[in-house]
Amino acid sequence: SFGTITSPFWVAGRINGIVGSQSILSSKGRHDFSFRRISQGFYKLSWGVPHPGGANFICLAQGEGTGGTWNVLHDANSSDDLANSANSVTFIARNNTFGLTDGIVNFTILA
């Protein structure tokens, strides 16, 4: 018999940040997460169980073509609400001209 494999991701998922369609499309990590759209292109993701690495976790994010999301930044400023914490990350989504845009984002945070 096969045992259950523990996910290598603390939190992972796919979110839709487009106004009127905002939702969590998929959640695949060890812990559930929630998100809110702060403003165009800014998404705050939060989870209840603090990451064992504190704010120093590895996060990978990719935008999808829907909404024109080409670049996704995180941990953008260590002195304000855009910084990572043990319980959150803020994504900033940009289009191909580096303008703010809403779109669909896929992400993983390693455990």
Side-chain angles (χ1 to χ4, degrees), residues 49-67:
V49 179
H51 192 281
N56 190 27
F57 50 77
I58 295 172
C59 178
L60 305 170
Q62 174 185 353
E64 292 185 11
T66 302

Side-chain angles (χ1 to χ4, degrees), residues 3-13 27-32 51 107-111:
T4 302
I5 297 173
T6 302
S7 174
F9 307 116
W10 197 250
V11 292
S27 179
K28 298 292 183 183
R30 292 182 188 179
H31 304 285
D32 290 332
H51 192 281
F107 75 96
T108 59
I109 296 175
L110 297 179

